[in-house]
Amino acid sequence: MRRVLIIFTPLLLLFLSIGAYGQVVREKNSYLVGFSQCTSDDAWRKTMEMEMQNELLYYPQLKLIIKDAKNNSEKQVSDIRELIAAGIDILIVSPNESEPLTAIVSEVYRKGIPVIVIDRRVETTDYTAFIGANNYLIGKEAGKYAVRLLNGKGKILEIWGLQGSSPARDRHKGFVEEIQKFPDIKITSSLSGEWESKGGEMVMNKVLESGEPFDLVYAHNDFMALGAYKAYIEKKKTRKAFFIGVDGLPGPDGGSQAVMDRKLNATLLYPTGGSLAISLSWEILRGKTVEKENELNTLVIDSTNVRALKYQTDEILNLHKRIVTSRQILDEQVKRFYSQRFWLILALSSLLVVLILGALLFRAFRNKARANKMLEQQKLEITRKNEELVRISSELEEATKAKLIFFTNISHEFRTPLTLILGPLENILHTKNLTAELRSQLEMMLRNAQRLLRLINQLMDLRKIDNEKMYLQAGLFDIVSFTRNIKEAFDEIAKQKQIEFTLESEIDGELIYFDRDKVDKILFNLLSNAFKFTSALGTVAIIIRKVIHSFNGGDEKDAIEIEIRDNGPGISEKNISRIFERFYQAEEQQGNVYPGTGIGLPLSKSFIELHKGDISVKSKPGYGASFFVHFQLGKEHLADSEISSIDTEYERIGRNIIDEVTDNDELLEKGDSESEKDIYFDKPLLMIVEDNADVARFIKSCLADDYRVMTASNGIEGFEKMYIEEPDLIICDVMMPEMDGLEFTRKLKSDIRTCHIPVILLTALSTHEQKIEGLETGADSYIAKPFNKKHLQVRVRQLIESRQKIRKHYQQDVLSQFTSDSKISKLDQDFLKKCSAIIDKHITETEYGVEQLSLEIGLSRVHVYRKIKHLTGLSVSEFIRNLKLKKAAVLLSESGRSVAEIAYETGFSSPSYFSKCFKDLFNLTPSEYVQNKG
């Protein structure tokens, strides 16, 4: 069925488009013809328009726009500009006066629009074609006819058209040339009637009043001739003079009718050229070449031929009417044809659509039956799978319960050995004769055992909540003073981490019902998180308010709001909706890793919900986070069993708050500063980058006897300290805030200033893939937690000794860094090669040293010195001098030049100093070296 649609849809669209095709073709091939005329002669105008309309019947593609300026040349210019703006394809112009129209005709022609000038010429050749009678020949024919009427003797009154028009000049010229052949014929008066009938009357009245005699009146058009005839008859009553006009237009007001009425003796035919103008327009628009000058023939119309001409004209008019009627009938037939064809196509298209829809319905019915059968099968399969899922879910639930029971039991089992560890540890710590080092390690053991106990207690609390065995023992206590006591437990860590820690309360105190043990754990967890995520010089604040709050979208009630705010890294939008899920740990934020168990916040939320309160969080990454805890006032929301006058379960367990939050190196230095006074500064320097203070202190205690040790709490702090004092080896944890160990190693190994420093990665993540990831960053070794003290000491010693062997090797052969099998990184090899190339370029310069070399290398003087010293065991001056001496040894063996020449050529200030340095390096004087090589 899809194939049927693909085939028939284009056919349907094709049929629907056929009806409009003919109209589209006509529109595409149509042209706009503009005609501008300027005449007050209605008969001439009507004749011109009739001829054009008759001819347009044969050219339906042409559309004619007519503008008539009514004898106003300025308006005719304006009319032509309007026609151009209308987008005409060709211009036909009949000027009343030549000079005013010359400029606009030339302008249109130069724009690329064809121009046909009709009737009167313009004073330019910028036109496509000219159509008009030869006015000079008309004047000559009029002169010949006047001579015949006067029999070679008489006086003539000539009535001009406009004096400036070319037709008037030419008609006068031709007329005069003919009558000059007869001396007895004279033009007694020659006056302008301005082409108007009234002008002819005025001229005749003026001549009659003057009494000047005349035998014949020659007017340049029929209108002036008839006007003169009218004035003549009104005065003389009878006609004794001859009257000749020009135009010979048909119709009741035309010259032909005036000849028939014996008002005029004759008129000379002046054809309009309308038909020819239209046919020429069609030829020009089709790109054909036409004659530029098209002259129309003239004819004398008098009593001998006027009736025959009138008969012909009437027949032409009747024929025109029949043609117009036939064209109208044809147009109606064409419209009817297109209408019928449209409805036929529509009917066929509808039939086709019905057939297609029928086929589609049949196909749909068949598909529906097939789909119903498949759905029935799928329904049975889904039912079977649902039963299987229910069974699996039940098994999973049973397994989960079994795991939780086992987990709870094992947690109980952990508490017993932990009790046996904590008790003896506390007893030992009360002994007074412990060494400082031993006391420090025992305190570290106590802190971590207490931390493990708290984690177990939290897990036990979660299990009680799941089993609905966690009960509320609420009493009436002052929440403000209680929170202030919790705050005081964190003051020391705030001071040591240089964090501004404040408590602001908008109320002096408020008694509310709450379980002190559970609220203690709630605030402890929230504050621990705030301090863990806040860097040094940050801020943590507790704000207590009395507010109106809607609990779980219900009615608004009086409540106490406790806000805990920090300016740490904040929580991303994708993590904020999941932070209260059990065991959920947010992904890395801004490259930082914050270790945790994912228990504290879910447990706090459960405790708050036991109080019929709620907790929410607002955060924007980079701007910190705010946690809001709300407790209801009064006790109506609590059951009687949840209220106790004595909070029996609450016992303030002494916590080492410092151990609960991420420690920094400043805390480590307190106990170690005295011991470091005894470290010898010639021992290798190690740096431990570890966020856990106890782990860092333990590593330090393992290595302090043989090495100088400095510590950093994260990668950023590690870089800051490393740039001040460069270590010989770095031991770095992988999971750290601010900058983790992998990023730290990657950055260190890609920096030319530090890439030579060995790195041991230390982590609890010990899978094969994690080890590969660590080594791919450029780490030199990877040790998993928990680690063996001896293993760590041996690995550190091996890496330090390996570096020392490489330096010793370079000291013996300063050019060995060029070899591809060097036991240093490619970055270090490239660095030494670059240094050697720069020194070789300046080998003749005596004063070239570390300042100049550091500028060209692009590193500071300190970093260049440290880098070369670490890689080769040589100072920069020794490195430069040894390279020069090695070059000198080659020259001594191959060039045959003197010792003095080679000394100066390799940049030594004197041959004696050169010989001394040479002997120090090679144990031979230059001369002995040459002799041995010889």
Side-chain angles (χ1 to χ4, degrees), residues 610-734:
L610 283 174
H611 286 82
K612 308 301 186 292
D614 63 28
I615 182 172
S616 60
V617 60
K618 291 182 180 179
S619 180
K620 183 177 180 182
Y623 293 91
S626 290
F627 285 83
F628 299 89
V629 179
H630 295 95
F631 293 114
Q632 297 187 41
L633 299 184
K635 61 179 180 179
E636 292 76 12
H637 56 286
L638 300 175
D640 292 339
S641 61
E642 294 176 326
I643 300 175
S644 174
S645 57
I646 300 175
D647 195 355
T648 56
E649 289 192 6
Y650 179 63
E651 180 184 353
R652 187 69 178 276
I653 301 173
R655 296 187 179 95
N656 189 326
I657 303 298
I658 295 175
D659 189 56
E660 291 297 322
V661 298
T662 301
D663 304 279
N664 60 36
D665 192 54
E666 292 176 7
L667 307 182
L668 300 177
E669 300 299 328
K670 272 192 165 186
D672 300 331
S673 58
E674 292 297 327
S675 61
E676 288 189 355
K677 294 179 181 179
D678 299 324
I679 295 176
Y680 293 100
F681 286 94
D682 57 347
K683 292 180 180 180
L685 176 62
L686 307 183
M687 181 165 72
I688 301 169
V689 186
E690 168 63 66
D691 62 315
N692 187 291
D694 286 334
V695 175
R697 188 177 292 111
F698 175 68
I699 296 172
K700 185 174 182 179
S701 68
C702 293
L703 302 170
D705 290 342
D706 300 309
Y707 307 97
R708 292 180 293 141
V709 181
M710 63 179 181
T711 58
S713 61
N714 56 63
I716 293 176
E717 186 181 344
F719 268 106
E720 291 173 354
K721 292 190 174 183
M722 181 173 53
Y723 289 140
I724 297 171
E725 186 173 6
E726 185 176 285
D728 294 283
L729 183 140
I730 297 173
I731 300 171
C732 182
D733 187 22
V734 172

Side-chain angles (χ1 to χ4, degrees), residues 488-518:
E488 290 173 357
F490 284 83
D491 284 340
E492 182 63 23
I493 183 60
K495 181 179 179 182
Q496 293 180 2
K497 288 195 69 175
Q498 296 181 322
I499 291 175
E500 182 183 350
F501 183 35
T502 58
L503 186 148
E504 302 172 19
S505 178
E506 297 179 0
I507 53 178
D508 294 332
E510 185 71 32
L511 294 175
I512 67 170
Y513 284 89
F514 65 92
D515 187 323
R516 289 189 297 172
D517 175 66
K518 294 173 180 57

